[in-house]
């Protein structure tokens, strides 16, 4: 029986993460995208790093 590398449980089916190569069960990732939870978090974290911080200085004399 394959073992999920994320939760360490023996499961019927594991999927191989296309990003990190970890074998994960259906509870530990997205089998449609072939991404484990770690990589999903990483991807979503990277995408969410847009910051709209602007220092607008106005010189009104
Ligand atoms: Zn798992
Ligand atoms: Zn992964």
């Amino acid at each position: 029986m394959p073992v999920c590398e994320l939760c360490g449980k023996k499961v019927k089916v594991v999927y191989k993460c296309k990003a990190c190569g970890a074998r994960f069960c259906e509870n530990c990732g997205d089998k449609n995208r072939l991404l484990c939870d770690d990589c999903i978090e990483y991807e979503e974290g990277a995408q969410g790093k847009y910051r709209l911080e602007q220092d607008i200085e106005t010189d009104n004399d």
Side-chain angles (χ1 to χ4, degrees):
M1 247 220 233
V3 177
C4 169
E5 289 181 19
L6 274 84
C7 64
K9 287 179 185 163
K10 288 178 184 170
V11 289
K12 280 185 224 164
V13 185
V14 289
Y15 307 91
K16 193 176 178 187
C17 175
K18 68 178 180 185
C20 71
R23 283 167 294 170
F24 61 92
C25 69
E26 60 186 354
N27 294 320
C28 293
D30 187 335
K31 63 183 178 185
N32 296 312
R33 289 197 285 166
L34 289 179
L35 285 170
C36 70
D37 271 352
D38 284 349
C39 295
I40 291 172
E41 260 183 45
Y42 179 80
E43 281 209 345
E44 290 179 354
Q47 283 170 5
K49 274 187 182 171
Y50 290 109
R51 283 191 177 185
L52 287 173
E53 284 180 27
Q54 281 184 317
D55 285 329
I56 301 169
E57 289 182 30
T58 51
D59 282 317
N60 288 329
D61 233 59

